[in-house]
Amino acid sequence: MIKTDIIIIGAGPTGLFTVFEAGLLKLKCHLIDALAQPGGQCSEIYPKKPIYDIPAYPEILAGDLVSKLMEQIKPFEPGFTLGERAETLDKQEDGSFIVTTSKGTQHHAPVVVIAGGLGSFEPRKPLIANLNLFESKGVEYMIKDPEVFRNKKVVISGGGDSALDWSIFLADVASEVSLVHRRNEFRGALDSVEKARELAKLGKIQLYTEAEVKEIHGKEDLQAVVIKYNDETKEESYVETDYFIPLFGLSPKLGPIGNWGLEIEKNAIKVNNAKDYQTNIPGVFAIGDVNTYEGKLKLILSGFHEAAVMCQYAYQIINPDKRYVMKYTTVGGVEGFDGSKKEAKKEVVQSIS
């Protein structure tokens, strides 16, 4: 069982910044996210899109913001459980909580913070009759470790950045890569589209456009897919493969969190914004886009503010007999759990005798 001070559900920007604010209070954090990498939507959906309303950054790419946050929280050594969805919340006799994931990983802490953005992200699945029978047996919805596909045959479906970028990357890893898209035009970055078409000309990617995967076949594990063209020919291709990876984007849902007894309003978690962003369950907080209250603004910078306020009250729950005196980082610096310390240089003023 993983033990920590604060369990953070959601590793998007707000969840990541919570690690920093908690770290200043000497509180350890562990983050849980259904996605395979930190960053939430910023990493998974629009890493190359610019954001214009982050203080001190006139413009920053979403993926770069995540990288900066990861750099900022590194001294506080957060733990991560990625690729697993938070399933159950069980309150213990001492008031602490155990959060168990979809894979049975248990986490124990006195405070739980839900920073899940718009909720957990679930993959959009193609309408193929027996798809669920081959999940984790050749059908995957995200790529956690590219080495799994080393010298394997891979079929990827999709027309966005994820499908293009992974097809390009796996061209040098897998023995065969096929990219299937229902249109001739792709929705991804122009340089990625051009690179994929170039690799197709070189025979490193088999490109199927105006086509869709309509059937999958196998015994215990996936063995082949049937690709059907949408043009006038309606031709079909039987393609042998070890893996089928449909990358059609992610759909935000509250998921199991909606069954935890929290007060829900319009698919968001209601909190006490006048005080500490705590939910109707003492010790469970909700910050960022997942929460709602009068005057709520769904902005990343609002989530950052909520994280800072919430951590002050979480400290009181974790350390009821201690009184924390807030210090500005310009005065106290930033001391990490890894032994590092950042602080402003002190000027030495010499008196003139």
Side-chain angles (χ1 to χ4, degrees):
M1 184 180 295
I2 297 168
K3 294 186 177 183
T4 189
D5 293 319
I6 300 176
I7 297 168
I8 303 172
I9 300 171
T14 297
L16 294 176
F17 189 67
T18 301
V19 174
F20 178 79
E21 288 295 324
L24 295 178
L25 302 174
K26 307 299 181 187
L27 302 177
K28 292 278 289 183
C29 296
H30 192 96
L31 300 97
I32 303 170
D33 202 296
L35 299 178
Q37 60 183 336
Q41 296 181 69
C42 288
S43 293
E44 193 70 19
I45 300 177
Y46 51 84
K48 296 179 182 178
K49 283 189 177 181
I51 302 174
Y52 300 105
D53 59 357
I54 301 299
Y57 286 99
E59 177 182 336
I60 185 170
L61 296 180
D64 291 342
L65 175 63
V66 173
S67 297
K68 291 288 186 182
L69 286 165
M70 290 295 290
E71 180 183 348
Q72 186 179 29
I73 68 174
K74 185 178 179 182
F76 297 117
E77 300 179 329
F80 289 91
T81 297
L82 300 174
E84 300 182 30
R85 185 175 67 177
E87 290 284 331
T88 60
L89 174 75
D90 296 302
K91 193 165 187 174
Q92 307 302 295
E93 291 184 2
D94 63 357
S96 63
F97 300 91
I98 292 178
V99 175
T100 305
T101 70
S102 52
K103 294 188 178 179
T105 307
Q106 292 190 315
H107 310 74
H108 184 217
V111 169
V112 173
V113 179
I114 303 170
L118 297 174
S120 64
F121 287 91
E122 298 181 0
R124 293 190 176 98
K125 302 179 182 182
L127 298 175
I128 300 175
N130 56 341
L131 188 70
N132 63 315
L133 299 179
F134 293 98
E135 290 176 349
S136 300
K137 296 180 179 180
V139 173
E140 304 289 343
Y141 301 108
M142 60 179 67
I143 296 174
K144 300 177 186 178
D145 180 9
E147 282 301 313
V148 169
F149 309 101
R150 172 77 57 185
N151 300 322
K152 301 292 185 179
K153 297 177 181 179
V154 179
V155 174
I156 295 176
S157 281
D161 285 313
S162 291
L164 287 163
D165 292 344
W166 279 119
S167 294
I168 293 167
F169 185 90
L170 292 178
D172 292 324
V173 176
S175 60
E176 292 181 19
V177 175
S178 299
L179 175 58
V180 185
H181 183 41
R182 61 193 177 94
R183 295 191 179 95
N184 192 44
E185 300 80 18
F186 288 88
R187 304 184 312 277
L190 181 59
D191 58 337
S192 296
V193 175
E194 292 175 346
K195 180 66 174 177
R197 293 195 183 279
E198 179 184 340
L199 289 172
K201 289 179 182 178
L202 296 173
K204 300 192 73 174
I205 292 178
Q206 181 66 44
L207 203 56
Y208 296 88
T209 56
E210 297 186 78
E212 296 178 72
V213 174
K214 289 294 187 180
E215 300 174 18
I216 57 177
H217 298 280
K219 294 180 180 178
E220 289 294 323
D221 297 316
L222 181 69
Q223 294 177 318
V225 300
V226 174
I227 300 171
K228 186 174 182 179
Y229 285 92
N230 297 328
D231 58 15
E232 295 177 356
T233 66
K234 303 297 181 185
E235 290 182 359
E236 294 184 352
S237 295
Y238 184 89
V239 179
E240 292 185 356
T241 188
D242 298 299
Y243 291 95
F244 171 47
I245 311 172
L247 298 175
F248 296 151
L250 301 164
S251 177
K253 295 180 181 178
L254 272 181
I257 291 175
N259 301 319
W260 288 1
L262 297 163
E263 189 174 351
I264 307 296
E265 184 178 289
K266 295 181 180 179
N267 209 38
I269 301 170
K270 195 171 182 179
V271 297
N272 175 11
N273 71 305
K275 186 179 180 183
D276 53 17
Y277 304 102
Q278 197 161 197
T279 69
N280 59 304
I281 300 177
V284 178
F285 299 79
I287 57 176
D289 286 357
V290 76
N291 76 12
T292 186
Y293 53 84
E294 187 177 352
K296 170 70 178 181
L297 288 176
K298 292 196 174 187
L299 299 172
I300 291 175
L301 62 89
S302 298
F304 290 168
H305 161 75
E306 293 167 9
V309 173
M310 179 277 302
C311 282
Q312 298 292 320
Y313 287 89
Y315 181 89
Q316 294 176 16
I317 292 173
I318 297 167
N319 300 292
D321 299 326
K322 293 182 180 180
R323 181 174 175 269
Y324 176 75
V325 179
M326 193 184 81
K327 295 180 181 178
Y328 298 114
T329 55
T330 51
V331 176
V334 176
E335 188 174 348
F337 299 143
D338 59 359
S340 65
K341 184 168 184 178
K342 293 181 179 179
E343 58 183 340
K345 293 182 180 179
K346 293 181 172 62
E347 295 183 3
V348 178
V349 180
Q350 296 180 338
S351 60
I352 300 175
S353 56

